[in-house]
Amino acid sequence: MKNRIFILSILASLGFLSSCSDSYLQEDYSDPTLISYDESTIRTNQDLQKFIRGLYSRLGTSSFSGDYFTYQELTGDLGFVSARNSGYFINTNAENHLVVDGGASSGIWSSLYNTISNANLILSYEGKVPDNPNGGVTSKALFAHAKVIRAYNYLALLGLFSPNYGEGDQSLGVPYSTTYNIEAKLPRETVPKVVDNVIADLTSSLADFESDNASAIFTNNNSFNANAIKLLLARTYLYKKDYQKAIQFADQVIDLGGELVGGGTNTGNTTFSTIFTILGENNPEILFQIEYNNIIPSNNNLQAYWGTSGAYKQNFMAKAFWDDFPSTDVRKSNVAWYQNNATTYPDDPKPINVKKYLNGPRDVILLRKTEAFFIKAEAQYHINPATAFTTLKNWVTTHRDQAYSKSLTGTAVLDEILRQKGFEFFLEGMRFTDMKRNNKAIVKVQKANNVPLGEIPVGDRRFIWPIPLSEIQTNPNIKQAPNY
């Protein structure tokens, strides 16, 4: 029964997708009881294509549709919940939401592992599905998509539920499996082992993507591709503290060109201010985005909760952080992604409106090229801070603020890298894990009126999220995070 439910969930999600160019998605699944999971569920290359599309649909209904981004910002230091709110996320805002019997960890844990389970089920057919006799994408290349999605989810789990690589108790990785077994009761794997497995999946998938046209069944960067995998490898090696490898893969992305450039010289869908609108969905800056449209809109956690345009209108950027950026910075002067217009709110100072994802059908960006510059700069900082600052300053003056004139050395370089990255990637799912990876205390820049202090000092238990109670109760082999 559980296997049947799993398959139906994939195909149900497929049923909500529509595209005039994807004829096989027009097939009738009106009688889903005819479909069950057995050794012949995925028989052909066409079957496999459907299930890979279903896996991407599952990714789009997971935490990456909204929750992951919101918790990254509200457990970080730059975002906050207004004094005028719906009651949602107020515990998160006060940094007391990480509890064993609920809170953020339960939903995100289940969501990411459900996606991994789906990927493992598909990969159980690896080597058993022939290529399409009429050509097209090979089955081997299609399976590479499932491996990348699995790796992406494991890396996200590590960032939240485990200590930094090489720090603390390295036995506190996350349960890791490459087989589909819903009855498995797995212990934590070590952090190094999970990281190495992630790298192995990404590396083998990159080879398949480069040898076969693995992304040919997708458009508009709505799937992983070779360049997106290179960025993920750079991100993973940065997490592993293999800084030379991180720089190597970051450079491969930087060398592509086409990254987002500020100013008013661009036209059409490459305009700086439009990247987070529907007009910007084809922007060459984007490497991977989850597809949403008028039929299958994104989870409302972003559109509804952030800024003044949604239903709840309660989550914002800290005013002091906004004020810290000069008017010559195009992210501020062009009013592209943020705007100082939440003047009717009771907060003092008034919050900064976030103008990302104001339209539910707009695809949600998960990977874009500009991150490679920050990965490179952070990796260089650990080798030579002066070189890192040169990289950062060149990027800022070329792409964001021609008047940028700071001169920094030592630890101030890392602080500036994180400052610039916080402004660039606010609400894109990075702030909490960036602070954690660099052992920075989280001190809220702004809180709602009368909200108690909620700082997370370096070494605090809340940098490692707790294993949910449901997992503890059903899995006797799992080890809880420290001090929960």
Side-chain angles (χ1 to χ4, degrees), residues 199 230-254 371-380 382-383:
I199 290 173
K230 291 173 183 176
L231 184 60
L232 268 184
L233 278 165
R235 185 188 288 186
T236 307
Y237 278 118
L238 182 66
Y239 177 83
K240 188 180 178 180
K241 302 179 182 178
D242 187 337
Y243 300 123
Q244 294 291 357
K245 280 282 192 180
I247 293 169
Q248 173 189 328
F249 282 101
D251 275 337
Q252 290 183 39
V253 175
I254 292 170
E371 185 187 351
F373 288 93
F374 286 93
I375 291 174
K376 180 176 182 178
E378 186 179 324
Q380 287 177 326
H382 294 284
I383 300 171

Side-chain angles (χ1 to χ4, degrees), residues 343-360:
T343 56
T344 63
Y345 279 70
D347 306 279
D348 184 18
K350 301 302 181 186
I352 299 304
N353 194 20
V354 183
K355 299 181 68 179
K356 292 181 177 179
Y357 302 116
L358 301 185
N359 190 315

Side-chain angles (χ1 to χ4, degrees), residues 78 136 143 252 268 311 323 361 381 478:
L78 307 180
F143 283 118
Q252 290 183 39
D323 288 344
Y381 167 79
I478 199 74

Side-chain angles (χ1 to χ4, degrees), residues 31-67:
D31 187 6
T33 60
L34 298 177
I35 304 168
S36 61
Y37 165 49
D38 56 34
E39 65 278 359
S40 62
T41 299
I42 304 178
R43 297 176 301 237
T44 67
N45 182 276
Q46 290 89 345
D47 290 339
L48 181 56
Q49 288 191 35
K50 295 173 189 176
F51 275 79
I52 293 299
R53 286 188 178 276
L55 186 58
Y56 276 104
S57 179
R58 177 69 189 84
L59 187 66
T61 58
S62 73
S63 292
F64 291 116
S65 66
D67 278 348

Side-chain angles (χ1 to χ4, degrees), residues 62-121:
S62 73
S63 292
F64 291 116
S65 66
D67 278 348
Y68 186 81
F69 300 86
T70 294
Y71 281 113
Q72 282 272 351
E73 293 303 340
L74 294 183
T75 56
D77 54 338
L78 307 180
F80 76 103
V81 177
S82 170
R84 181 193 299 168
N85 61 70
S86 63
Y88 290 112
F89 300 112
I90 55 175
N91 286 329
T92 306
N93 194 51
E95 306 289 14
N96 61 8
H97 65 298
L98 291 178
V99 293
V100 175
D101 60 345
S105 61
S106 180
I108 290 181
W109 175 276
S110 298
S111 173
L112 300 185
Y113 269 112
N114 281 340
T115 303
I116 289 169
S117 180
N118 289 10
N120 283 339
L121 173 59

Side-chain angles (χ1 to χ4, degrees), residues 113-355:
Y113 269 112
N114 281 340
T115 303
I116 289 169
S117 180
N118 289 10
N120 283 339
L121 173 59
I122 292 172
L123 287 165
S124 69
Y125 290 87
E126 192 171 14
K128 304 174 185 178
V129 180
D131 290 337
N132 190 331
N134 298 319
V137 182
T138 66
S139 296
K140 181 180 179 183
L142 290 168
F143 283 118
H145 284 276
K147 289 182 181 178
V148 177
I149 290 175
R150 179 173 68 189
Y152 184 65
N153 280 265
Y154 273 126
L155 186 61
L157 283 163
L158 278 174
L160 298 177
F161 292 94
S162 298
N164 289 334
Y165 186 93
E167 302 173 19
D169 186 351
Q170 293 294 280
S171 71
L172 296 176
V174 295
Y176 186 89
S177 177
T178 58
T179 60
Y180 176 68
N181 180 0
I182 59 176
E183 304 298 333
K185 311 295 183 184
L186 298 177
R188 287 179 181 261
E189 186 54 87
T190 67
V191 174
K193 183 66 177 293
V194 178
V195 172
D196 287 344
N197 287 338
V198 167
I199 290 173
D201 267 351
L202 294 175
T203 302
S204 66
S205 297
L206 178 60
D208 292 337
F209 271 70
E210 290 183 326
S211 62
D212 297 327
N213 191 11
S215 56
I217 65 170
F218 299 93
T219 58
N220 299 338
N221 293 322
N222 290 137
S223 76
F224 285 104
N225 51 62
N227 294 324
I229 296 173
K230 291 173 183 176
L231 184 60
L232 268 184
L233 278 165
R235 185 188 288 186
T236 307
Y237 278 118
L238 182 66
Y239 177 83
K240 188 180 178 180
K241 302 179 182 178
D242 187 337
Y243 300 123
Q244 294 291 357
K245 280 282 192 180
I247 293 169
Q248 173 189 328
F249 282 101
D251 275 337
Q252 290 183 39
V253 175
I254 292 170
D255 290 345
L256 295 171
E259 64 277 358
L260 189 64
V261 177
T265 58
N266 296 324
T267 59
N269 67 0
T270 61
T271 302
F272 182 80
S273 61
T274 66
I275 187 172
F276 292 100
T277 70
I278 291 179
L279 183 63
E281 286 191 354
N282 297 324
N283 197 296
E285 155 82 354
I286 300 169
L287 292 177
F288 173 49
Q289 57 192 358
I290 296 178
E291 181 179 12
Y292 296 107
N293 50 51
N294 288 320
I295 298 174
I296 178 168
S298 66
N299 186 303
N300 69 2
N301 283 312
L302 295 176
Q303 181 189 3
Y305 290 102
W306 287 91
T308 59
S309 66
Y312 300 107
K313 306 177 177 65
Q314 64 170 59
N315 299 345
F316 298 95
M317 173 188 276
K319 176 72 158 55
F321 188 64
W322 162 269
D323 288 344
D324 189 41
F325 275 73
S327 60
T328 51
D329 191 304
V330 293
R331 292 165 293 187
K332 194 169 187 179
S333 61
N334 283 8
V335 197
W337 305 334
Y338 318 110
Q339 187 173 2
N340 186 12
N341 67 349
T343 56
T344 63
Y345 279 70
D347 306 279
D348 184 18
K350 301 302 181 186
I352 299 304
N353 194 20
V354 183
K355 299 181 68 179

